[in-house]
Amino acid sequence: MLTNKKIGFIGGGAMAEALMRGMLNAGLVVPSQLTVSDLTAKRLDYLHSTFGVSTTTDSQEIAKQSDILFLTVKPQVIGSVIDTIAPVVGKTTVLVSVAAGVTIATFQGKMPGVPIIRVMPNTPVAVGEGMSAMALGKYATSAVSEPVAQVFASVGQVVTVSEEAMDAVTGLSGSGPAYAFVLIDALTDAGVRVGFSRQTAVLLAAQTLLGAAKMVLETGQHPAQLRDMVTSPGGTAITGVHVLEQNGVRAALIDAVVAATNRSREMGRR
């Protein structure tokens, strides 16, 4: 579905790099289809030498020529980017924003009739294991959104949600890698405490969480069912789970997601 489509990126940071790498590795596009703009010449040189993509410092030129235009810039500068490209974006261009907290209405107000898709990806897109949620604007039909979903599927999993759910997405999967890193760090410290080197403890902790997550995704079983497979009567695992429950780990994770969701809502009202 991306054959012969011109795809542009305004902002050449880590997210743009991850998406370009994913598309190219998956064979969805060839380098000649991709153009990226950035304010930093060194960054553009890197992207050109790494992927063979075209580069420019002219965001209006990219906006004019792109069939799909990704806005991969920080939320702090999205306003000026919108003002710059709004006069030249055609109604056949699909505009995709990954700027957290910036609503579809913000774009639609400046670019009426343009298909807008808002996406919240998380940082593991950098290693091809991201989780992305898409919210579709009024003019973003399934025919318009499917190629965009393909792009994000090349760097992990993707779901479509209502825009009202985007703050909850931010609280769960958007912020979720931070929770996972805390867990890995804590398990690593525990491994050191019981006698492992830190290098070995990190490997044991990280691979264990990776394997557990993969079992959930690939078996389709409820996490509680998989937990029951590990927790034999009177054994070590159920003893450890008991301690986690005594210390409120489950409640703390729920509270963390709720707090992050509420914070996302607060930031969106600014």
Side-chain angles (χ1 to χ4, degrees), residues 167-168 170-172 175 179 251-267:
D167 290 314
T170 302
L172 180 55
S175 303
Y179 317 148
L253 288 170
I254 293 171
D255 288 347
V257 172
V258 172
T261 299
N262 290 337
R263 179 58 178 155
S264 179
R265 290 184 180 130
E266 290 171 6
M267 292 173 69

PDB file of all heavy atoms in Angstrom, residues 167-168 170-172 175 179 251-267:
ATOM      1  N   ASP A 167      -5.029   9.742  26.380  1.00  0.00           N
ATOM      2  CA  ASP A 167      -4.366  10.007  27.658  1.00  0.00           C
ATOM      3  C   ASP A 167      -4.125   8.703  28.416  1.00  0.00           C
ATOM      4  O   ASP A 167      -3.083   8.531  29.062  1.00  0.00           O
ATOM      5  CB  ASP A 167      -5.199  10.968  28.510  1.00  0.00           C
ATOM      6  CG  ASP A 167      -5.220  12.371  27.940  1.00  0.00           C
ATOM      7  OD1 ASP A 167      -4.148  12.877  27.566  1.00  0.00           O
ATOM      8  OD2 ASP A 167      -6.307  12.964  27.856  1.00  0.00           O
ATOM      9  N   ALA A 168      -5.092   7.783  28.339  1.00  0.00           N
ATOM     10  CA  ALA A 168      -4.921   6.483  28.991  1.00  0.00           C
ATOM     11  C   ALA A 168      -3.824   5.679  28.297  1.00  0.00           C
ATOM     12  O   ALA A 168      -3.057   4.965  28.961  1.00  0.00           O
ATOM     13  CB  ALA A 168      -6.240   5.715  28.971  1.00  0.00           C
ATOM     14  N   THR A 170      -1.238   6.993  26.907  1.00  0.00           N
ATOM     15  CA  THR A 170      -0.011   7.622  27.406  1.00  0.00           C
ATOM     16  C   THR A 170       0.351   7.095  28.791  1.00  0.00           C
ATOM     17  O   THR A 170       1.521   6.807  29.077  1.00  0.00           O
ATOM     18  CB  THR A 170      -0.180   9.152  27.465  1.00  0.00           C
ATOM     19  OG1 THR A 170      -0.501   9.640  26.161  1.00  0.00           O
ATOM     20  CG2 THR A 170       1.088   9.830  27.951  1.00  0.00           C
ATOM     21  N   GLY A 171      -0.651   6.948  29.654  1.00  0.00           N
ATOM     22  CA  GLY A 171      -0.407   6.470  31.007  1.00  0.00           C
ATOM     23  C   GLY A 171       0.024   5.018  31.071  1.00  0.00           C
ATOM     24  O   GLY A 171       0.796   4.631  31.958  1.00  0.00           O
ATOM     25  N   LEU A 172      -0.477   4.181  30.131  1.00  0.00           N
ATOM     26  CA  LEU A 172      -0.172   2.749  30.168  1.00  0.00           C
ATOM     27  C   LEU A 172       1.022   2.383  29.284  1.00  0.00           C
ATOM     28  O   LEU A 172       2.097   2.051  29.788  1.00  0.00           O
ATOM     29  CB  LEU A 172      -1.409   1.949  29.746  1.00  0.00           C
ATOM     30  CG  LEU A 172      -1.258   0.428  29.733  1.00  0.00           C
ATOM     31  CD1 LEU A 172      -0.777  -0.103  31.075  1.00  0.00           C
ATOM     32  CD2 LEU A 172      -2.574  -0.240  29.337  1.00  0.00           C
ATOM     33  N   SER A 175       4.009   5.573  28.821  1.00  0.00           N
ATOM     34  CA  SER A 175       4.894   5.682  29.977  1.00  0.00           C
ATOM     35  C   SER A 175       5.355   4.312  30.468  1.00  0.00           C
ATOM     36  O   SER A 175       6.269   4.225  31.295  1.00  0.00           O
ATOM     37  CB  SER A 175       4.170   6.405  31.127  1.00  0.00           C
ATOM     38  OG  SER A 175       3.713   7.681  30.717  1.00  0.00           O
ATOM     39  N   TYR A 179       8.106   2.103  33.668  1.00  0.00           N
ATOM     40  CA  TYR A 179       7.763   1.186  34.751  1.00  0.00           C
ATOM     41  C   TYR A 179       8.571  -0.107  34.611  1.00  0.00           C
ATOM     42  O   TYR A 179       9.062  -0.658  35.596  1.00  0.00           O
ATOM     43  CB  TYR A 179       6.273   0.853  34.757  1.00  0.00           C
ATOM     44  CG  TYR A 179       5.332   2.014  34.534  1.00  0.00           C
ATOM     45  CD1 TYR A 179       4.119   1.831  33.882  1.00  0.00           C
ATOM     46  CD2 TYR A 179       5.639   3.305  34.980  1.00  0.00           C
ATOM     47  CE1 TYR A 179       3.248   2.871  33.673  1.00  0.00           C
ATOM     48  CE2 TYR A 179       4.770   4.358  34.777  1.00  0.00           C
ATOM     49  CZ  TYR A 179       3.569   4.139  34.111  1.00  0.00           C
ATOM     50  OH  TYR A 179       2.714   5.175  33.897  1.00  0.00           O
ATOM     51  N   ALA A 251      -0.991  -2.736  43.327  1.00  0.00           N
ATOM     52  CA  ALA A 251      -1.687  -1.463  43.528  1.00  0.00           C
ATOM     53  C   ALA A 251      -0.816  -0.284  43.107  1.00  0.00           C
ATOM     54  O   ALA A 251      -1.317   0.694  42.539  1.00  0.00           O
ATOM     55  CB  ALA A 251      -2.093  -1.311  44.997  1.00  0.00           C
ATOM     56  N   ALA A 252       0.484  -0.380  43.361  1.00  0.00           N
ATOM     57  CA  ALA A 252       1.394   0.707  42.978  1.00  0.00           C
ATOM     58  C   ALA A 252       1.435   0.875  41.461  1.00  0.00           C
ATOM     59  O   ALA A 252       1.451   2.010  40.952  1.00  0.00           O
ATOM     60  CB  ALA A 252       2.794   0.429  43.520  1.00  0.00           C
ATOM     61  N   LEU A 253       1.444  -0.221  40.730  1.00  0.00           N
ATOM     62  CA  LEU A 253       1.458  -0.131  39.269  1.00  0.00           C
ATOM     63  C   LEU A 253       0.147   0.457  38.746  1.00  0.00           C
ATOM     64  O   LEU A 253       0.144   1.282  37.822  1.00  0.00           O
ATOM     65  CB  LEU A 253       1.704  -1.516  38.652  1.00  0.00           C
ATOM     66  CG  LEU A 253       3.131  -2.058  38.812  1.00  0.00           C
ATOM     67  CD1 LEU A 253       3.194  -3.521  38.398  1.00  0.00           C
ATOM     68  CD2 LEU A 253       4.108  -1.229  37.981  1.00  0.00           C
ATOM     69  N   ILE A 254      -0.976   0.034  39.336  1.00  0.00           N
ATOM     70  CA  ILE A 254      -2.269   0.603  38.937  1.00  0.00           C
ATOM     71  C   ILE A 254      -2.288   2.103  39.217  1.00  0.00           C
ATOM     72  O   ILE A 254      -2.691   2.915  38.361  1.00  0.00           O
ATOM     73  CB  ILE A 254      -3.428  -0.095  39.677  1.00  0.00           C
ATOM     74  CG1 ILE A 254      -3.548  -1.560  39.211  1.00  0.00           C
ATOM     75  CG2 ILE A 254      -4.759   0.640  39.430  1.00  0.00           C
ATOM     76  CD1 ILE A 254      -4.513  -2.389  40.035  1.00  0.00           C
ATOM     77  N   ASP A 255      -1.831   2.495  40.398  1.00  0.00           N
ATOM     78  CA  ASP A 255      -1.795   3.909  40.764  1.00  0.00           C
ATOM     79  C   ASP A 255      -0.883   4.707  39.826  1.00  0.00           C
ATOM     80  O   ASP A 255      -1.170   5.864  39.492  1.00  0.00           O
ATOM     81  CB  ASP A 255      -1.317   4.080  42.204  1.00  0.00           C
ATOM     82  CG  ASP A 255      -2.354   3.640  43.231  1.00  0.00           C
ATOM     83  OD1 ASP A 255      -3.522   3.435  42.845  1.00  0.00           O
ATOM     84  OD2 ASP A 255      -1.990   3.489  44.417  1.00  0.00           O
ATOM     85  N   ALA A 256       0.225   4.090  39.407  1.00  0.00           N
ATOM     86  CA  ALA A 256       1.156   4.767  38.504  1.00  0.00           C
ATOM     87  C   ALA A 256       0.499   5.067  37.163  1.00  0.00           C
ATOM     88  O   ALA A 256       0.642   6.175  36.617  1.00  0.00           O
ATOM     89  CB  ALA A 256       2.414   3.917  38.298  1.00  0.00           C
ATOM     90  N   VAL A 257      -0.234   4.105  36.624  1.00  0.00           N
ATOM     91  CA  VAL A 257      -0.904   4.304  35.339  1.00  0.00           C
ATOM     92  C   VAL A 257      -1.986   5.377  35.457  1.00  0.00           C
ATOM     93  O   VAL A 257      -2.122   6.249  34.589  1.00  0.00           O
ATOM     94  CB  VAL A 257      -1.504   2.977  34.820  1.00  0.00           C
ATOM     95  CG1 VAL A 257      -2.371   3.215  33.589  1.00  0.00           C
ATOM     96  CG2 VAL A 257      -0.384   1.981  34.500  1.00  0.00           C
ATOM     97  N   VAL A 258      -2.761   5.325  36.534  1.00  0.00           N
ATOM     98  CA  VAL A 258      -3.806   6.331  36.748  1.00  0.00           C
ATOM     99  C   VAL A 258      -3.194   7.720  36.886  1.00  0.00           C
ATOM    100  O   VAL A 258      -3.674   8.697  36.285  1.00  0.00           O
ATOM    101  CB  VAL A 258      -4.647   5.975  37.992  1.00  0.00           C
ATOM    102  CG1 VAL A 258      -5.609   7.114  38.330  1.00  0.00           C
ATOM    103  CG2 VAL A 258      -5.421   4.685  37.761  1.00  0.00           C
ATOM    104  N   ALA A 259      -2.116   7.836  37.655  1.00  0.00           N
ATOM    105  CA  ALA A 259      -1.474   9.134  37.854  1.00  0.00           C
ATOM    106  C   ALA A 259      -0.899   9.674  36.546  1.00  0.00           C
ATOM    107  O   ALA A 259      -1.032  10.866  36.238  1.00  0.00           O
ATOM    108  CB  ALA A 259      -0.371   9.014  38.901  1.00  0.00           C
ATOM    109  N   ALA A 260      -0.261   8.809  35.766  1.00  0.00           N
ATOM    110  CA  ALA A 260       0.306   9.244  34.488  1.00  0.00           C
ATOM    111  C   ALA A 260      -0.790   9.648  33.505  1.00  0.00           C
ATOM    112  O   ALA A 260      -0.637  10.611  32.744  1.00  0.00           O
ATOM    113  CB  ALA A 260       1.163   8.131  33.891  1.00  0.00           C
ATOM    114  N   THR A 261      -1.911   8.927  33.538  1.00  0.00           N
ATOM    115  CA  THR A 261      -3.054   9.287  32.687  1.00  0.00           C
ATOM    116  C   THR A 261      -3.594  10.658  33.057  1.00  0.00           C
ATOM    117  O   THR A 261      -3.851  11.509  32.182  1.00  0.00           O
ATOM    118  CB  THR A 261      -4.165   8.228  32.815  1.00  0.00           C
ATOM    119  OG1 THR A 261      -3.675   6.956  32.384  1.00  0.00           O
ATOM    120  CG2 THR A 261      -5.388   8.608  31.978  1.00  0.00           C
ATOM    121  N   ASN A 262      -3.761  10.898  34.335  1.00  0.00           N
ATOM    122  CA  ASN A 262      -4.259  12.193  34.795  1.00  0.00           C
ATOM    123  C   ASN A 262      -3.287  13.317  34.452  1.00  0.00           C
ATOM    124  O   ASN A 262      -3.704  14.426  34.076  1.00  0.00           O
ATOM    125  CB  ASN A 262      -4.511  12.162  36.297  1.00  0.00           C
ATOM    126  CG  ASN A 262      -5.699  11.285  36.674  1.00  0.00           C
ATOM    127  OD1 ASN A 262      -6.580  11.032  35.847  1.00  0.00           O
ATOM    128  ND2 ASN A 262      -5.725  10.802  37.911  1.00  0.00           N
ATOM    129  N   ARG A 263      -1.994  13.041  34.564  1.00  0.00           N
ATOM    130  CA  ARG A 263      -0.993  14.049  34.209  1.00  0.00           C
ATOM    131  C   ARG A 263      -1.052  14.375  32.727  1.00  0.00           C
ATOM    132  O   ARG A 263      -0.920  15.544  32.334  1.00  0.00           O
ATOM    133  CB  ARG A 263       0.401  13.545  34.592  1.00  0.00           C
ATOM    134  CG  ARG A 263       1.529  14.493  34.242  1.00  0.00           C
ATOM    135  CD  ARG A 263       1.357  15.852  34.897  1.00  0.00           C
ATOM    136  NE  ARG A 263       2.466  16.732  34.596  1.00  0.00           N
ATOM    137  CZ  ARG A 263       2.392  18.053  34.617  1.00  0.00           C
ATOM    138  NH1 ARG A 263       1.241  18.647  34.941  1.00  0.00           N
ATOM    139  NH2 ARG A 263       3.452  18.796  34.331  1.00  0.00           N
ATOM    140  N   SER A 264      -1.268  13.365  31.908  1.00  0.00           N
ATOM    141  CA  SER A 264      -1.395  13.594  30.467  1.00  0.00           C
ATOM    142  C   SER A 264      -2.595  14.491  30.170  1.00  0.00           C
ATOM    143  O   SER A 264      -2.521  15.390  29.328  1.00  0.00           O
ATOM    144  CB  SER A 264      -1.532  12.257  29.735  1.00  0.00           C
ATOM    145  OG  SER A 264      -1.679  12.445  28.343  1.00  0.00           O
ATOM    146  N   ARG A 265      -3.698  14.269  30.876  1.00  0.00           N
ATOM    147  CA  ARG A 265      -4.882  15.115  30.691  1.00  0.00           C
ATOM    148  C   ARG A 265      -4.591  16.557  31.089  1.00  0.00           C
ATOM    149  O   ARG A 265      -5.009  17.500  30.404  1.00  0.00           O
ATOM    150  CB  ARG A 265      -6.048  14.566  31.511  1.00  0.00           C
ATOM    151  CG  ARG A 265      -6.606  13.245  30.991  1.00  0.00           C
ATOM    152  CD  ARG A 265      -7.803  12.788  31.768  1.00  0.00           C
ATOM    153  NE  ARG A 265      -8.316  11.526  31.233  1.00  0.00           N
ATOM    154  CZ  ARG A 265      -8.582  10.459  31.963  1.00  0.00           C
ATOM    155  NH1 ARG A 265      -8.429  10.489  33.285  1.00  0.00           N
ATOM    156  NH2 ARG A 265      -9.032   9.362  31.397  1.00  0.00           N
ATOM    157  N   GLU A 266      -3.871  16.728  32.199  1.00  0.00           N
ATOM    158  CA  GLU A 266      -3.513  18.081  32.643  1.00  0.00           C
ATOM    159  C   GLU A 266      -2.657  18.787  31.606  1.00  0.00           C
ATOM    160  O   GLU A 266      -2.867  19.966  31.310  1.00  0.00           O
ATOM    161  CB  GLU A 266      -2.736  17.998  33.965  1.00  0.00           C
ATOM    162  CG  GLU A 266      -3.572  17.568  35.159  1.00  0.00           C
ATOM    163  CD  GLU A 266      -2.687  17.304  36.376  1.00  0.00           C
ATOM    164  OE1 GLU A 266      -1.459  17.566  36.287  1.00  0.00           O
ATOM    165  OE2 GLU A 266      -3.211  16.841  37.404  1.00  0.00           O
ATOM    166  N   MET A 267      -1.686  18.088  31.076  1.00  0.00           N
ATOM    167  CA  MET A 267      -0.789  18.685  30.089  1.00  0.00           C
ATOM    168  C   MET A 267      -1.529  19.052  28.804  1.00  0.00           C
ATOM    169  O   MET A 267      -1.231  20.055  28.171  1.00  0.00           O
ATOM    170  CB  MET A 267       0.348  17.715  29.776  1.00  0.00           C
ATOM    171  CG  MET A 267       1.302  17.497  30.951  1.00  0.00           C
ATOM    172  SD  MET A 267       2.519  16.196  30.664  1.00  0.00           S
ATOM    173  CE  MET A 267       3.534  16.975  29.405  1.00  0.00           C
TER     174      MET A 267
END
